[in-house]
Amino acid sequence: MKTAAKKAVGVLLSALVLAGMLNGCTKSPASNNEGSDEANPSTQAAAQETSSQSAAQDQTSVQETEPAQAGMDWKIGIGIVTSTSGSKDAGEGDGSAQCYSIMAAVLFDETGVIRNCVIDAAQTTLGFSSEGKVTADLGAVYPTKNQLGDEYGMHNASSIGKEWNEQAAAFAQYCTGKTVEQVIGLELTENKIMDADIISSVTIKVNDFIRAIEKASVLALPAQASENAVLKLETATDVSASKDASNESEGQCQAYNTYIAAAVNPDGVITGCCIDSTQATVTFDASGIITSDLTAEVLTKNELGDTYGMKKASSIGKEWWEQAAGFAAWCTGKTVAEVAGMEMADGKATDADVLASATVHINGWVEMLSRMAN
């Protein structure tokens, strides 16, 4: 993609995300139950369309409307690029719903320079039959590519003998020390980077890596400056909302991903935190024919903003992205151990300070953050 074209895409992307955020329930990774503050799932498809219609209505940045707190001069963000385009109808064999998410966790300093970056991918493939029955194991664990490591199997096929996670890490390191504008401006050939300084380490396509980094910059939240903090990214996938089709209703395969990025210093203190989620859903009829639009990009809950539709149902009048940001802010400045040890009842916080900004189930978030202790 040429530089000018990438910048044009970036402008449109920024308008879309910022509009959603300004026009403005998580679940445990093991459950779709988000409590009384959950939006009606039937509103989410409409929300995807609505957010694109309102994209150009407000160009003001979140940073301009919500000044950073004292000592919170850095920023942390997660950018997600999700597609279901690899899905296929059932025929003589099973069909497949492929929900593929590229994610980038990025830590920015006060000048906008990338101080740390982690790139990963969740490629969740769920089967369904020509009778419209889900054949995937809904209790299985779906690891990310970084978690798979050498088991992903790219090493032997790679012209440079490097696994996917090695190449993703090399590109993330290559972007460290650059601004987002410099990353967006990288010249690509067939979506691959040809810079002599990196070509010996990265031969996979990086266009979606770049888009994810750009999204992370747009959605970034305030963080404490910390030269020695380690940036960590956790992803959890739940497919339990998948269901069979019938003559009366469509079936679906859904990958519900939760993402948390946190910067953790050597003392175990969280210096910045960001939370987001995607619900990638492929629908099909009773004969196993896909009925959903596989060309549509799946927006995250933070990108959907108020169009996600939780605010009216919320007991505190806050949208999902507001509650996620509120809990992330509460965690910042605390140790991982303090967050892991917080009191909960029925998966929700009992602390009044947390409940003022987040009444959704947080047990899944706490569990993911607790894994960042090591």
Side-chain angles (χ1 to χ4, degrees):
M1 182 184 292
K2 297 298 182 182
T3 301
K6 284 187 292 189
K7 289 183 177 179
V9 171
V11 170
L12 291 174
L13 169 64
S14 299
L16 170 62
V17 174
L18 291 172
M21 288 292 288
L22 289 167
N23 285 337
C25 141
T26 188
K27 49 184 273 308
S28 162
S31 172
N32 266 332
N33 177 19
E34 293 184 330
S36 60
D37 282 344
E38 166 65 331
N40 185 339
S42 66
T43 67
Q44 294 166 19
Q48 299 270 20
E49 299 177 3
T50 304
S51 61
S52 63
Q53 294 169 0
S54 62
Q57 292 178 3
D58 196 335
Q59 300 286 329
T60 307
S61 72
V62 174
Q63 291 85 348
E64 290 174 335
T65 59
E66 297 181 8
Q69 301 172 12
M72 303 281 280
D73 297 330
W74 285 25
K75 292 191 179 297
I76 186 171
I78 308 174
I80 314 294
V81 178
T82 298
S83 170
T84 59
S85 63
S87 305
K88 63 179 183 179
D89 297 331
E92 294 183 0
D94 280 358
S96 63
Q98 185 181 96
C99 305
Y100 187 55
S101 296
I102 295 287
M103 49 276 213
V106 191
L107 188 63
F108 305 91
D109 69 17
E110 70 278 3
T111 68
V113 170
I114 295 171
R115 287 302 190 98
N116 206 337
C117 180
V118 178
I119 296 172
D120 202 352
Q123 189 170 13
T124 307
T125 303
L126 305 172
F128 54 92
S129 71
S130 56
E131 289 77 39
K133 306 297 183 183
V134 176
T135 58
D137 180 0
L138 302 187
V141 175
Y142 294 88
T144 68
K145 288 188 178 181
N146 283 353
Q147 291 169 339
L148 285 170
D150 287 346
E151 293 181 17
Y152 180 64
M154 177 178 284
H155 184 273
N156 292 334
S158 169
S159 61
I160 56 174
K162 291 186 179 295
E163 191 49 75
W164 189 96
N165 65 306
E166 296 178 292
Q167 298 195 44
F171 185 76
Q173 181 59 42
Y174 177 75
C175 293
T176 302
K178 295 178 172 61
T179 64
V180 172
E181 290 74 17
Q182 289 173 320
V183 174
I184 296 171
L186 293 172
E187 289 291 341
L188 305 182
T189 300
E190 296 180 349
N191 291 325
K192 297 183 178 183
I193 189 165
M194 308 305 291
D195 189 323
D197 292 335
I198 191 68
I199 197 171
S200 63
S201 300
V202 182
T203 57
I204 57 179
K205 294 180 179 180
V206 300
N207 53 310
D208 282 341
F209 294 175
I210 292 172
R211 291 184 63 213
I213 290 171
E214 183 181 14
K215 285 189 175 192
S217 72
V218 174
L219 293 168
L221 298 175
Q224 298 170 358
S226 182
E227 299 283 349
N228 54 1
V230 176
L231 181 62
K232 302 189 178 187
L233 173 63
E234 283 285 336
T235 303
T237 300
D238 174 23
V239 300
S240 63
S242 303
K243 60 181 182 180
D244 299 337
S246 68
N247 291 330
E248 292 76 32
S249 61
E250 294 178 327
Q252 69 175 30
C253 287
Q254 183 185 91
Y256 191 131
N257 290 352
T258 302
Y259 318 90
I260 299 184
V264 182
N265 72 16
D267 296 323
V269 175
I270 298 169
T271 61
C273 183
C274 186
I275 302 169
D276 207 347
S277 181
T278 52
Q279 289 171 287
T281 305
V282 174
T283 58
F284 50 88
D285 63 21
S287 60
I289 302 301
I290 292 173
T291 56
S292 53
D293 181 4
L294 301 183
T295 66
E297 181 179 342
V298 179
L299 300 180
T300 72
K301 290 186 180 181
N302 286 347
E303 289 176 301
L304 287 170
D306 277 4
T307 61
Y308 179 65
M310 176 180 284
K311 181 174 289 188
K312 291 181 179 179
S314 170
S315 60
I316 56 174
K318 291 184 181 293
E319 190 48 76
W320 190 95
W321 71 268
E322 294 176 293
Q323 299 199 39
F327 183 72
W330 181 87
C331 293
T332 302
K334 294 177 175 60
T335 65
V336 173
E338 287 174 323
V339 174
M342 69 180 296
E343 292 187 5
M344 290 179 284
D346 297 324
K348 297 186 177 185
T350 59
D351 186 294
D353 290 338
V354 180
L355 290 173
S357 58
T359 57
V360 295
H361 286 91
I362 61 168
N363 53 317
W365 294 346
V366 171
E367 179 185 340
M368 293 170 72
L369 282 164
S370 69
R371 295 200 290 266
M372 298 183 180
N374 299 324

